[in-house]
């Protein structure tokens, strides 16, 4: 027997309508490039998002047409997040940190017709102007300086829509947004998010055991709006009616902490690098910021070192680790200690919190070796595979790229993980970053996290270097904190408290910085290039 419920499409339009009917006065705060603060509210957002939708229609943008954005996190970007999808268009966020060739490739591959660009990002656009096939470029002034005459100002574009424009009725499976993977291997690949995926993801992200968003919260997404839709925070916050605060281009720790204090932020989301900077600033300036009691932040994008969890606990901030991917809208797992484990000794609870966490509702996980799922014993690693309603079923317009999906419809994540009997997922490595020494696997992530727990270490990345006898051996590239000293032996002794001798890096090399990807992760491919000619025999006994 079928249930007797209405068919009601899960689209972004009812979120927009809800925001305008219920939360018009809730604030949206944006920090501008000159550091001044711009204040608006959901009422303004919805009016302007509707005007943007009407202007897109007047400009001839049809259902499914891509509207690209090249913008920082701020209120105008949010207008595009809502305005383009409710018009039936696809909001395609572009990453300004990509090189011009990649950016032009992505714009052309996506078939973007119209670009909305911050005035401060015009130099990024101008580097691709000749190679990117865009029909129209509209400039959002964020500096107060006049828009160069060859471009149309955003305010003028907003005037072009008809006042009688009515939002179209959309199907929930229509595309709403698009993002290309950061493409550490091969060409970047586009992921097309449906309205339904974004709506369901918003419900899930808001749950108490995920980002825990209520109307009374104030969220500051540090993760860029061009990185998987700021992990879905703006949509989830809009549905909840929570105050949103955007940092613009100012992502240094002091600016962020000032904004946290001033706007009474209760929720945030960002990558571990950002949190490392914040923790360092909090430690260096005790008592300088009065942060909200109950401040809770999500850390994702890369493994969260244990010392960061401990450090944030010290400052009364709860950090929760989440794991996901561009292909997953992005939420996959979030970590919290289950009530049945809350009596475990403190070190055990800390070890649990350092895992990537429990699968979110409707996200199914399995770890696989060959064709077989490995047991959930917390020890046997396998490639993590996932499926669920907000997980991509294919890439955009790349029919030959189906090898990332199994025949029975699971996405191969490329991450190697264990799953313990309680269901906690622990990512050991990207498949290509695992180190195989003498036939045994060594997790570079575990070594990195332990190294970053040493008081003198700011950052550490570990890579495999070919070795004649052992196949591969680990090399650690380490950045020391300003004013601290440590030598290779100090760090190896520190690691020896937790790791067997054969797992220790044979070489510890001190560097000025670790190369990073455009979204702030360690770029290990670059490190491997830097150490391509490394000769073990000169430096190490190879005595793993
Ligand atoms: P992206 O699509 O750029 O967001 O990258 C997704 C990849 O980032 C995942 O496949 C993981 O390798 C990595 N990643 C994301 N979150 C975490 C995490 N919490 N711990 C470890 N790796 C992570």
């Amino acid at each position: 027997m079928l249930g007797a419920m209405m068919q009601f499409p899960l689209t972004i339009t009812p979120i927009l309508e809800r925001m305008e009917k219920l939360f018009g006065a809730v604030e949206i705060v944006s920090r501008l490039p000159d550091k001044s603060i711009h204040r608006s509210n959901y009422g303004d957002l919805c009016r302007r998002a509707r005007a943007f939708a009407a202007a897109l229609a007047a400009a001839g943008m049809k259902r499914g047409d891509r509207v690209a954005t090249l913008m920082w996190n701020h209120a105008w970007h949010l207008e595009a997040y809502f305005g383009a999808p409710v018009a039936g268009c696809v909001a395609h966020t572009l990453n300004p940190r990509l090189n011009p060739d990649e950016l032009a490739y992505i714009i052309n591959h996506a078939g973007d017709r119209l670009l909305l660009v911050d005035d401060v990002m015009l130099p990024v656009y101008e580097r691709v102007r000749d190679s990117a096939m865009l029909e129209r470029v509209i400039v959002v002034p964020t500096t107060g300086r006049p828009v160069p005459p060859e471009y149309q100002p955003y305010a003028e574009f907003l005037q072009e829509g008809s006042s009688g424009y009515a939002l179209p009725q959309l199907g929930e499976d229509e595309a709403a947004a698009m993002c290309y993977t950061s493409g550490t291997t091969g060409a970047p690949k586009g992921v097309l998010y449906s309205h339904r995926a974004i709506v369901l993801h918003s419900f899930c992200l808001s749950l108490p055991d995920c980002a825990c968003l209520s109307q009374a919260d104030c969220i500051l997404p540090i993760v860029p709006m061009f990185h998987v839709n700021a992990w879905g925070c703006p949509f989830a916050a809009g549905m909840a009616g929570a105050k949103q605060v955007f940092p613009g281009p100012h992502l240094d720790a002091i600016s962020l902490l000032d904004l946290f204090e001033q706007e009474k932020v209760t929720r945030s989301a960002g990558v571990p690098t950002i949190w490392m900077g914040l923790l360092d600033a909090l430690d260096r300036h005790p008592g300088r910021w009065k942060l909200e009691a109950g401040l809770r932040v999500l850390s994702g994008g890369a493994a969260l070192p244990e010392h960061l969890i401990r450090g944030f606990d010290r400052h009364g901030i709860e950090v929760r680790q989440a794991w996901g991917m561009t292909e997953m809208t992005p939420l996959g797992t979030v970590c919290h200690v289950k009530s049945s484990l809350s009596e475990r000794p403190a070190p055990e609870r800390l070890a649990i919190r350092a895992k990537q966490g429990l699968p979110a509702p409707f996200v199914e996980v399995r770890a696989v070796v060959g064709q077989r799922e490995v047991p959930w014993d917390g020890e046997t690693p396998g490639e993590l595979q996932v499926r669920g309603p907000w997980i991509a079923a294919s890439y955009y317009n790349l029919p030959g790229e189906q090898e990332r999906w199994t025949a029975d419809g699971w996405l191969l994540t490329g991450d190697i993980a264990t799953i313990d009997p309680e269901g906690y997922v622990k990512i050991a490595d990207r498949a290509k970053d695992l180190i195989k020494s003498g036939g045994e696997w060594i997790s570079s992530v575990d070594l990195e996290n332990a190294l970053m727990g040493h008081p003198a270490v700011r950052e550490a990345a570990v890579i495999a270097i070919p070795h004649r006898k052992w196949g591969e051996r680990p090399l650690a590239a380490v950045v020391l904190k300003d004013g601290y000293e440590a030598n290779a032996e100090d760090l190896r002794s520190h690691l020896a408290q937790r790791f067997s001798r054969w797992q220790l890096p044979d070489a510890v090399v001190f560097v000025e910085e670790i190369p990073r990807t455009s979204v702030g992760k360690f770029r290990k491919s670059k490190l491997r290039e830097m150490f391509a000619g490394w000769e073990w025999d000169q430096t190490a006994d190879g005595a793993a």
Side-chain angles (χ1 to χ4, degrees):
M1 187 194 285
L2 292 178
M5 291 292 125
M6 293 182 187
Q7 288 292 324
F8 191 92
L10 304 178
T11 69
I12 292 172
T13 313
I15 301 184
L16 179 92
E17 289 166 350
R18 176 178 167 79
M19 294 188 309
E20 65 194 352
K21 283 190 194 123
L22 306 184
F23 308 124
V26 176
E27 263 194 312
I28 294 169
V29 178
S30 313
R31 185 176 242 164
L32 302 180
D34 68 357
K35 287 213 155 184
S36 64
I37 294 286
H38 174 272
R39 290 183 190 277
S40 57
N41 60 31
Y42 276 86
D44 301 321
L45 165 70
C46 296
R47 259 190 310 280
R48 295 169 61 89
R50 279 183 185 274
F52 186 55
L56 288 173
M61 297 292 286
K62 305 262 174 341
R63 294 278 266 272
D65 280 351
R66 271 76 67 208
V67 176
T69 63
L70 199 51
M71 300 166 108
W72 291 114
N73 290 15
H74 50 53
W76 303 282
H77 206 166
L78 198 60
E79 289 166 20
Y81 261 49
F82 284 95
V86 299
C89 296
V90 180
H92 177 198
T93 50
L94 296 169
N95 179 344
R97 298 186 184 129
L98 296 178
N99 69 47
D101 288 347
E102 277 175 310
L103 206 52
Y105 168 85
I106 288 174
I107 292 170
N108 294 337
H109 186 268
D112 296 332
R113 291 185 61 193
L114 185 145
L115 172 72
L116 207 57
V117 53
D118 280 356
D119 51 359
V120 291
M121 287 209 196
L122 272 174
V124 179
Y125 162 66
E126 281 166 359
R127 283 195 284 274
V128 300
R129 182 167 40 196
D130 295 336
S131 42
M133 292 179 286
L134 287 157
E135 292 168 32
R136 258 179 109 157
V137 178
I138 291 144
V139 175
V140 178
T142 62
T143 56
R145 286 196 294 272
V147 169
E150 64 269 36
Y151 299 108
Q152 183 176 29
Y154 180 52
E156 203 181 289
F157 180 71
L158 288 187
Q159 304 287 322
E160 289 181 4
S162 134
S163 55
Y165 172 78
L167 297 179
Q169 292 290 323
L170 302 172
E172 63 179 21
D173 291 323
E174 287 186 53
M178 183 179 214
C179 187
Y180 274 66
T181 58
S182 43
T184 41
T185 51
K189 298 170 188 70
V191 179
L192 255 186
Y193 307 105
S194 62
H195 281 261
R196 175 187 156 86
I198 289 175
V199 168
L200 291 174
H201 187 271
S202 303
F203 275 110
C204 185
L205 191 65
S206 318
L207 288 175
D209 287 332
C210 293
C212 189
L213 275 178
S214 86
Q215 199 280 314
D217 278 309
C218 169
I219 186 166
L220 187 159
I222 303 173
V223 47
M225 289 171 83
F226 55 77
H227 186 207
V228 212
N229 296 326
W231 301 347
C233 295
F235 293 116
M239 192 168 81
K243 173 176 170 182
Q244 304 198 44
V245 178
F246 295 104
H250 301 289
L251 300 179
D252 61 283
I254 304 282
S255 304
L256 286 170
L257 285 164
D258 287 347
L259 204 53
F260 270 65
E261 179 180 42
Q262 183 185 310
E263 300 301 328
K264 301 192 182 332
V265 170
T266 58
R267 299 285 179 266
S268 187
V271 293
T273 326
I274 291 281
W275 303 129
M276 276 183 224
L278 255 66
L279 180 58
D280 196 41
L282 288 167
D283 285 343
R284 277 172 194 267
H285 306 280
R288 173 162 167 184
W289 295 278
K290 191 173 173 325
L291 302 177
E292 288 302 288
L295 170 58
R296 187 160 128 181
V297 306
L298 272 189
S299 177
L304 175 67
E306 243 178 63
H307 82 276
L308 260 177
I309 305 177
R310 263 186 273 118
F312 271 67
D313 280 354
R314 244 188 0 257
H315 291 283
I317 304 170
E318 188 188 351
V319 56
R320 287 198 175 184
Q321 170 150 223
W323 165 88
M325 304 175 74
T326 305
E327 290 86 340
M328 300 175 69
T329 315
L331 187 63
T333 66
V334 188
C335 201
H336 71 279
V337 179
K338 291 189 209 174
S339 56
S340 56
L341 306 176
S342 62
E343 301 297 318
R344 296 276 173 98
E348 249 184 75
R349 279 183 281 129
L350 185 64
I352 294 174
R353 291 172 64 200
K355 296 189 177 191
Q356 276 66 23
L358 298 169
F362 297 101
V363 174
E364 294 184 358
V365 296
R366 67 183 187 191
V368 173
V369 173
Q371 300 299 317
R372 293 237 320 272
E373 180 174 356
V374 302
W376 286 25
D377 59 8
E379 284 173 9
T380 317
E383 182 176 9
L384 193 59
Q385 302 183 357
V386 291
R387 64 177 183 185
W390 50 83
I391 298 176
S394 63
Y395 289 119
Y396 171 67
N397 200 11
L398 281 177
E401 287 279 353
Q402 274 308 113
E403 75 268 17
R404 283 295 294 275
W405 287 267
T406 63
D408 57 347
W410 294 68
L411 171 73
L412 307 177
T413 65
D415 288 329
I416 303 297
T418 57
I419 307 176
D420 71 18
E422 296 283 350
Y424 287 94
V425 172
K426 182 172 189 299
I427 305 284
D429 245 322
R430 292 293 292 161
K432 60 184 183 317
D433 293 337
L434 265 181
I435 301 157
K436 197 162 198 187
S437 169
E440 298 288 337
W441 293 109
I442 301 175
S443 159
S444 65
V445 172
D446 285 350
L447 287 172
E448 287 158 7
N449 287 346
L451 279 168
M452 289 190 273
H454 188 282
V457 174
R458 178 185 302 285
E459 290 181 349
V462 176
I463 54 167
I465 300 280
H467 188 284
R468 220 176 316 127
K469 180 167 174 195
W470 300 105
E472 289 177 343
R473 292 293 303 150
L475 173 147
V478 172
V479 183
L480 291 180
K481 288 186 188 160
D482 293 343
Y484 283 80
E485 282 181 16
N487 61 32
E489 263 330 292
D490 298 333
L491 298 183
R492 281 168 52 91
S493 319
H494 167 75
L495 290 175
Q497 297 164 19
R498 283 183 51 177
F499 294 87
S500 313
R501 190 168 133 69
W502 67 271
Q503 295 174 311
L504 302 184
D506 288 347
V508 177
V509 183
F510 295 94
V511 293
E512 292 282 303
E513 60 174 5
I514 311 276
R516 291 189 176 281
T517 68
S518 59
V519 291
K521 303 180 193 197
F522 293 153
R523 189 187 286 280
K524 292 203 177 171
S525 55
K526 182 81 188 153
L527 264 186
R528 282 191 276 268
E529 270 171 36
M530 282 164 58
F531 292 101
W534 188 264
E535 285 291 337
W536 280 123
D537 297 341
Q538 294 166 20
T539 55
D541 57 7

